[in-house]
Amino acid sequence: MVYLKTKNSNYWKKKNIIQVEDLLFKFMFDNRSMPEICKEIYDKYDAPYIGTTQACVPSLIVKTVEDIQAVFAGDFQSFYSRGINTNPNDILSDNLLFASHFPRWKLMRQKLSPVFTSAKLKNMFYILEKCARDFVSLVESDENMRKTPFNVLYTYTTASIGASVFGIDTQTKNTMNSPFLEMARKSVEPTLKTNLFIIMADMFPKLFNFLNLKFFADYEDFFVGAVKSVLADRRLGNDTKRYDFIETCLELQKNGVMQDPSTGYEIEPTDEVMAGQAFFFFIAGADTSANAMHFTLLELSSNQKVLNRLHKEIDAIFVPGKNEITYKDIENLPYLDMVLNEAMRKFPPVGVIQRECTRNTVLPSGVKIKKGTTVQVPVFAIHRDEKYFPNPQEFDPERFGPDNSKGITNYTNLPFGEGNRICIGSRFARLQVKVGLAWLLHRFTLAEQSHYPVKFEKSSFGLRDPTARYDLIPRKV
């Protein structure tokens, strides 16, 4: 503990830069989320950057748009790594979210990007739409479930991701009966064990690997086994197009070794490699999408005028006798887009984004960054900065109207990150959330209340308030 408190404790002070106490140390002994801690530091100091450490590793919280743009895009070659150390034997960590080896990350991104094109999402839409209908049926059928709305939303996001990865099982009457629900929930749940693993991986990576510690060891056999089983069944099955992620895996395996033509770097698309990419959907999407829906509904319950306007827009796509909605219908919900954008502005799914410097460089603000230093982009703080968003505590979807959105400063609205490593699944996530909200708000409205979270669950990267409630009231439609 003394080592953690003292090593590099004057690293930034020696450079005449404001330095605050170690972020991870503060997080471990505080009862707040990391985004809240970073926001407190951001608001307290009138400086372009603030120095700190993370488990003794020098770290810098950046505040200027120019520095943020450099980290995410302009100087990407110096900041391509997330700075998350994982065990090479951790199969489920070998995915786009955690990959720090640039050639490997680049090749996997190239091969997986086509999964999220508009054409692919249109083909996949029937899966999300079926899940959204089953989700609403579940909410309608069990009044007790409405007492814990976040859990119901988590069931939807996990089940819809599971169906998008593995396809819809024709033997399953309700897609909400997902075998992946508990795995998805526990894999991202903030725990002392996870936080200690992160610290050990950062401070003692060799020991971490020597002990063969893995972030997702508890789910490896189950999840890798599930992927192997489905892949094997599909290879023996018919040629019916499923348009799910497993189909993409089969196509990649059929084409043989994946190769980056510009570098020659190769990856063998084994079942294990494919399992790591499939797992990425769950750890990157289930919790973040559930939180996006959750905070949207919380804000709507506190803003009845916005809710009523949204009801009218959504009801317009549900013509009498219509039992399904289409991809085009979801595209024709501009106000829902604005409401969702504003909810993610106030409550970004990822409230702080980390990058590791991979070579010595200088940020536009003039600060020198050495290789191995981490940089924190405090998304939550930026989204609540009145310099970029006037009256930041107010829920105002009009910020994202056709005219107003043009005035938003680049690199200040970061719900999915930005630049070269922007969330690859952002369009999928938005579609998943919007179709779920469209079905839910067609069948239910929200009792009026005033709820404004002032404190969030202790999380190392996200903003979570899973115990918050709102009353879902059936509508006569």
Side-chain angles (χ1 to χ4, degrees), residues 28-42:
M28 288 289 290
F29 294 95
D30 206 320
N31 61 354
R32 294 176 297 165
S33 67
M34 184 66 84
E36 290 174 278
I37 293 170
C38 287
K39 182 180 184 302
E40 179 183 66
I41 296 169
Y42 179 101

Side-chain angles (χ1 to χ4, degrees), residues 255-464:
N255 293 332
V257 175
M258 300 185 294
Q259 184 181 70
D260 183 343
S262 64
T263 64
Y265 185 80
E266 296 181 344
I267 299 175
E268 177 71 33
T270 63
D271 288 358
E272 287 77 12
V273 169
M274 295 297 98
Q277 310 323 306
F279 191 68
F280 153 77
F281 276 78
F282 289 94
I283 55 172
D287 192 76
T288 51
S289 292
N291 278 297
M293 295 178 74
H294 187 54
F295 285 120
T296 299
L297 293 168
L298 271 172
E299 284 291 349
L300 288 172
S301 69
S302 303
N303 295 274
Q304 291 289 306
K305 287 185 179 179
V306 175
L307 175 62
N308 292 335
R309 178 177 168 183
L310 186 56
H311 274 313
K312 290 179 181 179
E313 179 182 78
I314 290 172
D315 289 348
I317 68 172
F318 284 91
V319 297
K322 189 171 186 177
N323 296 317
E324 296 182 11
I325 54 178
T326 66
Y327 183 88
K328 188 174 181 180
D329 288 332
I330 295 299
E331 285 188 316
N332 290 329
L333 296 172
Y335 194 60
L336 177 57
D337 254 329
M338 293 162 59
V339 168
L340 180 58
N341 285 337
E342 177 66 347
M344 291 193 293
R345 194 248 344 145
K346 279 195 73 174
F347 307 100
V350 178
V352 59
I353 299 175
Q354 176 177 288
R355 291 290 186 266
E356 179 183 11
C357 183
T358 56
R359 65 183 182 185
N360 295 347
T361 190
V362 180
L363 291 178
S365 60
V367 63
K368 294 180 180 179
I369 307 292
K370 285 191 175 182
K371 180 180 178 179
T373 302
T374 60
V375 171
Q376 312 298 323
V377 178
V379 177
F380 178 45
I382 294 164
H383 283 196
R384 297 290 186 98
D385 190 332
E386 61 182 9
K387 180 169 57 178
Y388 305 121
F389 299 99
N391 301 314
Q393 306 301 330
E394 181 182 347
F395 184 76
D396 181 14
E398 293 300 328
R399 297 181 204 272
F400 294 92
D403 295 326
N404 294 336
S405 62
K406 296 174 185 176
I408 295 175
T409 304
N410 289 338
Y411 292 91
T412 61
N413 184 44
L414 305 163
F416 296 103
E418 257 298 351
N420 302 58
R421 204 153 180 170
I422 190 172
C423 175
I424 191 175
S426 60
R427 297 204 317 199
F428 171 87
R430 293 184 69 89
L431 190 62
Q432 173 198 35
V433 168
K434 286 168 65 179
V435 69
L437 288 174
W439 266 108
L440 185 67
L441 292 172
H442 177 58
R443 297 281 183 84
F444 290 88
T445 190
L446 296 155
E448 187 172 4
Q449 66 172 354
S450 294
H451 179 89
Y452 298 97
V454 294
K455 182 172 173 294
F456 301 92
E457 187 176 80
K458 187 181 178 76
S459 170
S460 59
F461 68 91
L463 292 170
R464 307 178 87 247

Side-chain angles (χ1 to χ4, degrees), residues 116-397:
F116 302 101
T117 62
S118 294
K120 284 280 189 179
L121 291 177
K122 285 179 183 178
N123 288 331
M124 189 185 287
F125 183 76
Y126 79 96
I127 297 174
L128 294 176
E129 207 276 339
K130 172 66 165 66
C131 290
R133 278 186 281 127
D134 289 348
F135 159 57
V136 171
S137 295
L138 177 66
V139 178
E140 288 177 326
S141 66
D142 191 342
E143 192 171 342
N144 283 327
M145 292 196 73
R146 296 177 215 162
K147 295 177 181 178
T148 55
F150 181 77
N151 292 340
V152 184
L153 297 174
Y154 211 112
T155 299
Y156 165 66
T157 57
T158 301
S160 56
I161 288 173
S164 299
V165 170
F166 294 101
I168 293 177
D169 187 344
T170 56
Q171 304 301 314
T172 301
K173 291 184 178 180
N174 192 311
T175 55
M176 295 300 100
N177 299 322
S178 174
F180 304 104
L181 179 59
E182 195 65 15
M183 179 207 73
R185 192 187 304 276
K186 287 186 176 180
S187 64
V188 296
E189 191 174 56
T191 65
L192 177 61
K193 176 184 174 182
T194 300
N195 293 331
L196 290 175
F197 269 32
I198 291 171
I199 291 174
M200 180 174 279
D202 281 347
M203 292 180 63
F204 312 109
K206 291 183 179 178
L207 178 61
F208 185 82
N209 294 339
F210 175 77
L211 296 175
N212 202 31
L213 299 178
K214 302 178 183 181
F215 287 111
F216 306 111
D218 293 344
Y219 322 108
E220 191 171 292
D221 289 344
F222 165 72
F223 194 79
V224 175
V227 171
K228 282 179 172 288
S229 177
V230 175
L231 285 171
D233 287 346
R234 294 282 188 91
R235 293 186 188 111
L236 299 173
N238 56 41
D239 294 329
T240 303
K241 278 281 193 181
R242 299 284 192 104
Y243 300 107
D244 52 33
F245 183 68
I246 288 294
E247 183 178 275
T248 298
C249 294
L250 290 169
E251 290 173 359
L252 290 173
Q253 291 182 331
K254 184 179 179 180
N255 293 332
V257 175
M258 300 185 294
Q259 184 181 70
D260 183 343
S262 64
T263 64
Y265 185 80
E266 296 181 344
I267 299 175
E268 177 71 33
T270 63
D271 288 358
E272 287 77 12
V273 169
M274 295 297 98
Q277 310 323 306
F279 191 68
F280 153 77
F281 276 78
F282 289 94
I283 55 172
D287 192 76
T288 51
S289 292
N291 278 297
M293 295 178 74
H294 187 54
F295 285 120
T296 299
L297 293 168
L298 271 172
E299 284 291 349
L300 288 172
S301 69
S302 303
N303 295 274
Q304 291 289 306
K305 287 185 179 179
V306 175
L307 175 62
N308 292 335
R309 178 177 168 183
L310 186 56
H311 274 313
K312 290 179 181 179
E313 179 182 78
I314 290 172
D315 289 348
I317 68 172
F318 284 91
V319 297
K322 189 171 186 177
N323 296 317
E324 296 182 11
I325 54 178
T326 66
Y327 183 88
K328 188 174 181 180
D329 288 332
I330 295 299
E331 285 188 316
N332 290 329
L333 296 172
Y335 194 60
L336 177 57
D337 254 329
M338 293 162 59
V339 168
L340 180 58
N341 285 337
E342 177 66 347
M344 291 193 293
R345 194 248 344 145
K346 279 195 73 174
F347 307 100
V350 178
V352 59
I353 299 175
Q354 176 177 288
R355 291 290 186 266
E356 179 183 11
C357 183
T358 56
R359 65 183 182 185
N360 295 347
T361 190
V362 180
L363 291 178
S365 60
V367 63
K368 294 180 180 179
I369 307 292
K370 285 191 175 182
K371 180 180 178 179
T373 302
T374 60
V375 171
Q376 312 298 323
V377 178
V379 177
F380 178 45
I382 294 164
H383 283 196
R384 297 290 186 98
D385 190 332
E386 61 182 9
K387 180 169 57 178
Y388 305 121
F389 299 99
N391 301 314
Q393 306 301 330
E394 181 182 347
F395 184 76
D396 181 14

